[in-house]
Amino acid sequence: MTTTSAPNQATPPNRSRRIISISLAVIAALVVAFFVFASLYADWMWFSQLGFTEVLTTQWIARTVMFVIGFLAMAVPVWGVIQLAYRLRPVYARLSSQLDRYQEVVEPLRRLAMWGIPVFFGFFAGFAASAQWETTWLWANGVATATTDPQFGLDTGFYLFGLPFYTTVLGFASAVVLVCLLLTAVVSYLYGSVRVGQRELRISKSARIQLAVLAGVYLLLQGASLWLDRYATLINQEDRITGPGYVGVNAVIPGQTILAIAAVIVAIAFFVTAVIGRWRYPLIATALLVVSAVVVGAAIPWAVTTFQVRPNQLALESQYYQRNIDSTKAAYGIDNVEKENFEATTTAQAGQLRNDAASTAQLRIMDPAIIGPTVRQLEQYRAYYQFANPLDVDRYQINGQTQDAVVALRELNIDQLGDAATWQNTTLVYTHGYGMVAAAGNERTDDGDPVFLEQAIPGTGFLTDLNYEPRVYFGEQSPPYSIVGGPEGGEDIELDYPIGADGGTETRTTFRGDGGPSVGNVFSRLIYALKFQSEQILFSDYVNADSQILYDRNPKERVQKVAPYLTLDSDPYPTVADGRIKWVIDGYTTSANYPYSSSVSLSRAITDSNTPSPTYSLDNINYIRNSVKATVDAYDGKVTLYAWDDEDPILQAWQKVYPSSLQPWSEMSADLMSHVRYPTDLMKVQRSMLGVYHVDDARSFFQQDNRWTTPNDPQDPNTLQPPYYLTMKMPSQDAPSYSMFTSFIPASQGGQARNVLTGYLAVDSNAGDQQGTKRDDYGRLRMLVIDAATTVPGPGQVQNTFDSDTAVSSQINILQQGQSQVLNGNLLTLPVGGGLLYVQPVFVQSSGGTQLPQLRRVLVAFGDKIAFENTLSEALDSLFGGDSGADTGDEAVTPSEPGDAGDEATPTPDAPAGDYAAALAEAQAALTARQAALTAGDLAEFATQDERLTAAVQRLIELQGQTEGAAPTDGAAETPAPTPAG
């Protein structure tokens, strides 16, 4: 017997397509999952290498927990109300034909919808809750502050930690109940529990109970929200102040209390309706609640404001203005400003500065915002190096004396590699910058260049003598990522610096620190090849078992990642401490919830001529503390966080969230402590608030008869003048100290104020030089309140005097002859000689080609007198009767005039310096005489002197023409030899 098997049946085409579709979907999901995993794993390796895994895991756990809570808090109630509304539907309800059609459409998808809708809303709620994890964790770890608000007597910690959390919870709960109420109504309508027709609304008993209970719960939540709004009035902006005034305390807060109680009563009415089935009472109660909200929330406050407060504003509002003044000062740390009425001397006499010689000795004449090109030309060496602009300022102990310095790091600029910018060069060879450059802030060479204290490659100077580590792997201009490291005894491939031993052209090195995650195995290389979209990481033979990958190298970026709760200062600065270059970054804890404290825009407050407007996630704040000082090692990228203000309640809460991420400030070394300074942005915020809140009593605050503002920068009139660091002595101090100062002029509407000084603020920025000890004076704010009877010119007025003075302008015009450009430096203000001294360095540079700003003159002003001389020492002596009594850093300088040998615009030996100087003097004299003739209206004399000036200028041009070809060319790649220190 034979049998034949049945032929194989072909797989249906639709089944094949389904299998292929499912396979592709699974593959796509796996690819996406691996990319997500790669990103998370790369983050884990980065935080692990830095020793901050606690920060990452805390965020992951917190976000996950909050997502689950948010998902369940929304999905479970939504699923429950849908199930109830469906299961309690009337079985034999008579539906309209339209509802029948709706049910025919919905019924096939009913099972999917009953699960899909809760999941859909749950995901949205989960992500929303996840975004609020910081609010929740701060509430759970909040601390008491021992300071109570003046209205309710509650600890301010309630407003900083509790109120934001309770508000968020009530808002989330209200959203859940509202969604449940709407879905209940929709399901009840679709399945006949709620019927509308023939001018009649019919609701089944089950639907009535469900809807009434949900409505009652929603009103209970609104009642709780209204109760919380009473406390929120203390952080809300009113007419003149933040916090409730007379109207708020006597009308708004009582009204909110009444409305909260009324909302609870209406909620009870809905619960009663769920039992007895009568909708009339809760609906009437709801209407009355709405009317009450209008009357109590708007009409009564308007009436109290119009008929009671405005006619008697000062009498009724004084105590609330005083609350605002006291709380604002406490929130911004300006409650202990030492004020001194200052009757400024405006007359200059011989020897007047003798008692302030220690202050004038450190007056900075090298403007860090101007001399950047000079430092670049003298110290760049190769095009692939660069310096920050503007430069930074710091101070060092040199030979037992404190020296203010202008400093910068020589960082990489791989954009200048041109055709050499291959992956290997940009990733493996050009990996780091080299060395710090430091110049004395108060000194200059005869040519007007900086006097370098540390310079050159390899370095020479006081820092090199300390044997510091000069390599800069982590900086503000570092490449996006570099791969460094190798086995001991292996080939060095990283370019260290472009000078070699025995006449060689370069020196190479290998990174020996622990600066980044390892890429020594295939898996980690694959992870980072995906992260940086670079297959070379995976296939390069130069990546070895000891290789590390350095990325996220900007100091601010590194600190922000390990301390996401901080707002960072806009001006990180490098310093050398303990033999290493370290970036110092100030971190702030901020809040917008301090009771009765007025808010300020953080971005607007810190924007000035040195700082462009930044962007912050929390911009409007009413509380700030310099709670953390962070350091980033420029060699290995190590981040250290010091709890600087350990009494700050917000920092204390974050320390409980991240218990092992911060060190006590007492762990700072003495060397590092000597370079810590009062932060710039905090000073800017405080001066912004002090413009209004320098007054102490409510009457002055109400009258606004003494409001101040920060003057605009004379060199950039559209922006504010920045505060400046100087070693100086305030009248109440015994000795000079490293400080930061700013000045004030009267505020006005439309910018029509007199530009005269009304106040001068300085803060002691020297933290000391002992480990575990802060100087008592550190952070002390000292304010000079200029006596109104004395007129002291403001920065704008002084600059205008400089620019309009005929003797000064004639010399400026001569300095601008040919292709020269005059640059006015920072206008510094110093309280010396019983008055206020202005000092402004004046630089000259070429208007085209190679730009090398060099200090040529110094302008000084005291009272209504000015002087314009070659050096600060000469200018002060000229201003103060021939002998100021001051010490300066340029007393031993013999300035070279434009025309002396070696100057960029000087004649060659074919044009004797004497001829050039004589022509220059002739031009100056002719210009002065011409201006005098014009002022006197003597046109004949004006024409004579104009011809004389023309002849002198022509002679200058002829002499300068002999120097054609002698000017230095652009030295971006090859620069002049560095100027010897001193």
Side-chain angles (χ1 to χ4, degrees):
M1 183 177 66
T2 60
T3 60
T4 58
S5 59
N8 294 332
Q9 294 183 349
T11 303
N14 58 345
R15 183 180 176 187
S16 300
R17 285 195 295 270
R18 187 160 55 250
I19 292 173
I20 294 173
S21 299
I22 293 173
S23 300
L24 291 175
V26 170
I27 293 172
L30 290 175
V31 170
V32 171
F34 184 75
F35 271 94
V36 173
F37 167 77
S39 177
L40 295 176
Y41 187 69
D43 285 344
W44 169 266
M45 289 197 292
W46 190 89
F47 279 90
S48 178
Q49 185 275 325
L50 268 181
F52 284 90
T53 52
E54 173 192 64
V55 175
L56 187 64
T57 55
T58 298
Q59 294 182 38
W60 283 355
I61 292 171
R63 290 182 183 277
T64 302
V65 169
M66 291 302 297
F67 177 86
V68 171
I69 291 174
F71 179 88
L72 294 177
M74 175 65 80
V76 171
V78 167
W79 179 85
V81 298
I82 292 176
Q83 292 289 334
L84 278 176
Y86 175 74
R87 294 180 182 277
L88 298 177
R89 71 192 184 284
V91 180
Y92 303 106
R94 187 173 180 180
L95 305 177
S96 65
S97 58
Q98 186 175 10
L99 279 178
D100 283 334
R101 287 195 298 271
Y102 287 160
Q103 287 192 7
E104 289 176 2
V105 174
V106 170
E107 192 60 29
L109 302 173
R110 176 178 57 81
R111 192 177 300 274
L112 176 63
M114 293 180 72
W115 289 95
I117 291 175
V119 171
F120 173 79
F121 282 103
F123 267 105
F124 275 99
F127 287 119
S130 177
Q132 296 296 324
W133 78 268
E134 291 181 326
T135 301
T136 305
W137 257 242
L138 275 180
W139 165 75
N141 294 279
V143 298
T145 65
T147 302
T148 57
D149 78 83
Q151 177 61 34
F152 297 104
L154 296 176
D155 189 275
T156 53
F158 167 77
Y159 298 92
L160 296 174
F161 309 118
L163 185 59
F165 172 74
Y166 299 134
T167 302
T168 300
V169 170
L170 283 175
F172 184 88
S174 297
V176 171
V177 174
L178 189 59
V179 169
C180 291
L181 187 61
L182 293 174
L183 288 174
T184 297
V186 171
V187 174
S188 297
Y189 177 74
L190 283 176
Y191 288 95
S193 298
V194 176
R195 285 174 286 172
V196 181
Q198 299 179 353
R199 299 182 180 179
E200 187 177 20
L201 174 65
R202 292 183 177 273
I203 304 176
S204 68
K205 180 180 179 180
S206 59
R208 181 196 73 216
I209 295 173
Q210 189 170 344
L211 289 170
V213 169
L214 286 173
V217 171
Y218 182 77
L219 282 166
L220 281 178
L221 292 173
Q222 299 315 299
S225 180
L226 286 166
W227 188 264
L228 271 186
D229 286 345
R230 299 160 63 249
Y231 304 110
T233 58
L234 271 68
I235 58 175
N236 292 336
Q237 179 69 36
E238 282 210 353
D239 180 32
R240 293 282 300 276
I241 62 174
T242 294
Y246 182 86
V247 175
V249 170
N250 294 281
V252 175
I253 292 177
Q256 290 171 332
T257 304
I258 293 171
L259 291 176
I261 297 172
V264 173
I265 295 173
V266 176
I268 294 173
F270 274 100
F271 294 144
V272 171
T273 294
V275 177
I276 67 175
R278 294 184 178 274
W279 289 95
R280 178 180 304 173
Y281 303 119
L283 293 178
I284 292 174
T286 301
L288 290 175
L289 179 62
V290 173
V291 173
S292 300
V294 174
V295 174
V296 175
I300 293 179
W302 174 84
V304 173
T305 300
T306 303
F307 302 111
Q308 195 170 359
V309 173
R310 287 180 180 170
N312 310 283
Q313 189 166 354
L314 179 59
L316 297 179
E317 298 279 24
S318 289
Q319 63 172 314
Y320 307 108
Y321 290 166
Q322 195 62 51
R323 290 179 179 181
N324 176 246
I325 292 171
D326 296 339
S327 295
T328 299
K329 289 184 174 184
Y332 290 95
I334 54 177
D335 49 341
N336 292 315
V337 177
E338 294 184 0
K339 296 181 183 178
E340 178 182 352
N341 290 324
F342 190 61
E343 297 182 5
T345 299
T346 57
T347 56
Q349 299 176 356
Q352 194 165 335
L353 303 184
R354 201 170 308 281
N355 293 332
D356 296 298
S359 290
T360 59
Q362 287 292 343
L363 262 171
R364 188 173 61 249
I365 55 177
M366 284 293 149
D367 185 351
I370 288 184
I371 66 170
T374 304
V375 173
R376 184 173 66 249
Q377 289 296 323
L378 300 178
E379 289 294 321
Q380 183 174 335
Y381 284 90
R382 293 292 186 270
Y384 50 76
Y385 288 130
Q386 63 180 323
F387 295 96
N389 189 30
L391 308 182
D392 289 293
V393 294
D394 200 358
R395 75 277 190 199
Y396 289 91
Q397 285 286 330
I398 303 177
N399 298 325
Q401 299 292 324
T402 300
Q403 173 67 58
D404 288 5
V406 178
V407 300
L409 295 185
R410 191 181 289 107
E411 296 194 55
L412 278 181
N413 183 5
I414 59 176
D415 293 336
Q416 291 294 322
L417 292 179
D419 294 339
T422 62
W423 179 85
Q424 181 174 332
N425 276 339
T426 59
T427 306
L428 304 172
V429 177
Y430 294 91
T431 59
H432 60 279
Y434 192 93
M436 173 176 279
V437 173
N442 62 336
E443 298 182 39
R444 52 164 286 184
T445 66
D446 292 349
D447 293 332
D449 292 330
V451 173
F452 289 106
L453 308 170
E454 176 70 28
Q455 63 178 143
I457 296 179
T460 61
F462 77 103
L463 293 176
T464 300
D465 293 342
L466 297 175
N467 196 29
Y468 82 110
E469 171 55 66
R471 296 167 184 84
V472 183
Y473 283 89
F474 294 84
E476 294 178 308
Q477 310 296 333
S478 296
Y481 72 95
S482 295
I483 297 177
V484 298
E488 289 288 344
E491 179 189 4
D492 294 331
I493 63 173
E494 299 176 48
L495 177 66
D496 202 20
Y497 50 84
I499 297 174
D502 301 324
T505 59
E506 61 185 19
T507 298
R508 294 183 177 268
T509 188
T510 297
F511 179 76
R512 295 302 178 191
D514 180 16
S518 171
V519 284
N521 58 67
V522 175
F523 181 72
S524 59
R525 291 166 68 174
L526 175 61
I527 292 296
Y528 283 104
L530 292 174
K531 178 178 179 63
F532 292 107
Q533 302 293 295
S534 175
E535 71 281 358
Q536 293 94 333
I537 296 176
L538 190 60
F539 299 116
S540 175
D541 292 335
Y542 288 96
V543 182
N544 55 72
D546 296 309
S547 291
Q548 305 170 39
I549 186 166
L550 313 181
Y551 64 98
D552 290 343
R553 302 162 75 174
N554 187 290
K556 281 185 65 175
E557 185 177 355
R558 291 177 79 79
V559 174
Q560 193 69 81
K561 288 185 69 172
V562 302
Y565 52 89
L566 293 178
T567 299
L568 300 183
D569 193 271
S570 59
D571 185 25
Y573 61 97
T575 192
V576 175
D578 305 315
R580 305 291 282 262
I581 298 175
K582 294 182 179 181
W583 292 93
V584 182
I585 304 102
D586 286 282
Y588 309 107
T589 46
T590 60
S591 177
N593 296 306
Y594 196 91
Y596 267 111
S597 174
S598 293
S599 62
V600 65
S601 168
L602 185 56
S603 60
R604 189 177 302 118
I606 71 172
T607 300
D608 57 29
S609 58
N610 283 346
T611 307
S613 180
T615 301
Y616 296 105
S617 56
L618 178 63
D619 188 40
N620 290 311
I621 63 169
N622 69 356
Y623 174 92
I624 186 170
R625 288 291 185 272
N626 177 208
S627 54
V628 172
K629 290 192 181 290
T631 63
V632 177
D633 193 300
Y635 183 73
D636 61 16
K638 179 183 178 181
V639 178
T640 307
L641 306 177
Y642 296 98
W644 186 249
D645 186 352
D646 45 18
E647 296 182 359
D648 172 38
I650 298 180
L651 181 64
Q652 291 175 358
W654 281 116
Q655 282 184 290
K656 294 170 70 176
V657 176
Y658 302 120
S660 63
S661 64
L662 285 96
Q663 297 184 19
W665 64 266
S666 57
E667 294 296 318
M668 274 190 183
S669 69
D671 199 4
L672 177 58
M673 182 73 79
S674 68
H675 295 283
V676 166
R677 69 190 191 190
Y678 199 80
T680 309
D681 287 353
L682 178 59
M683 172 67 148
K684 294 177 184 178
V685 171
Q686 289 175 328
R687 74 177 181 180
S688 177
M689 300 310 298
L690 281 170
V692 175
Y693 290 94
H694 65 275
V695 300
D696 297 317
D697 61 278
R699 178 177 293 275
S700 296
F701 179 84
F702 169 72
Q703 295 175 176
Q704 293 190 4
D705 57 349
N706 192 21
R707 296 188 69 173
W708 298 349
T709 188
T710 304
N712 289 335
D713 191 332
Q715 313 313 318
D716 188 359
N718 295 320
T719 59
L720 298 180
Q721 186 180 40
Y724 295 112
Y725 290 99
L726 282 178
T727 295
M728 54 176 281
K729 180 173 75 72
M730 291 287 280
S732 60
Q733 290 180 285
D734 296 328
S737 178
Y738 192 69
S739 305
M740 180 169 43
F741 78 87
T742 189
S743 56
F744 297 96
I745 61 173
S748 68
Q749 299 294 327
Q752 299 301 314
R754 296 173 63 212
N755 199 282
V756 296
L757 286 188
T758 55
Y760 183 91
L761 179 69
V763 58
D764 195 310
S765 301
N766 184 9
D769 56 4
Q770 301 294 322
Q771 181 174 356
T773 303
K774 292 182 189 177
R775 273 174 46 112
D776 293 337
D777 286 346
Y778 173 81
R780 184 171 297 175
L781 294 161
R782 296 182 173 90
M783 177 182 289
L784 302 180
V785 180
I786 311 298
D787 188 270
T790 305
T791 299
V792 179
Q797 196 175 123
V798 170
Q799 189 68 60
N800 179 73
T801 302
F802 285 160
D803 295 341
S804 60
D805 185 88
T806 55
V808 172
S809 61
S810 63
Q811 296 186 59
I812 293 291
N813 289 335
I814 292 173
L815 291 174
Q816 289 178 329
Q817 293 293 333
Q819 296 187 3
S820 296
Q821 179 183 4
V822 173
L823 302 175
N824 292 327
N826 41 213
L827 185 58
L828 304 178
T829 313
L830 197 67
V832 292
L836 290 157
L837 172 71
Y838 285 96
V839 177
Q840 182 178 62
V842 176
F843 298 82
V844 177
Q845 70 174 14
S846 170
S847 59
T850 300
Q851 294 184 329
L852 189 74
Q854 294 176 306
L855 181 62
R856 290 301 182 199
R857 297 285 191 275
V858 179
L859 284 160
V860 293
F862 192 90
D864 58 357
K865 290 185 62 179
I866 66 171
F868 186 50
E869 301 294 342
N870 293 324
T871 66
L872 175 60
S873 177
E874 293 175 2
L876 291 178
D877 286 342
S878 174
L879 188 65
F880 289 92
D883 180 15
S884 67
D887 294 333
T888 64
D890 61 356
E891 288 175 324
V893 172
T894 303
S896 59
E897 294 292 335
D900 292 347
D903 195 281
E904 181 181 356
T906 59
T908 63
D910 292 334
D915 292 349
Y916 197 92
L920 191 65
E922 174 68 9
Q924 180 177 344
L927 186 63
T928 302
R930 188 185 70 158
Q931 183 66 33
L934 180 61
T935 303
D938 189 344
L939 297 182
E941 179 64 17
F942 175 82
T944 301
Q945 295 301 329
D946 187 63
E947 292 178 359
R948 178 186 174 193
L949 175 62
T950 301
V953 170
Q954 184 61 39
R955 177 59 179 155
L956 283 170
I957 294 174
E958 291 173 358
L959 292 172
Q960 186 174 356
Q962 300 176 22
T963 68
E964 290 296 328
T969 57
D970 193 339
E974 298 291 337
T975 62
T979 304

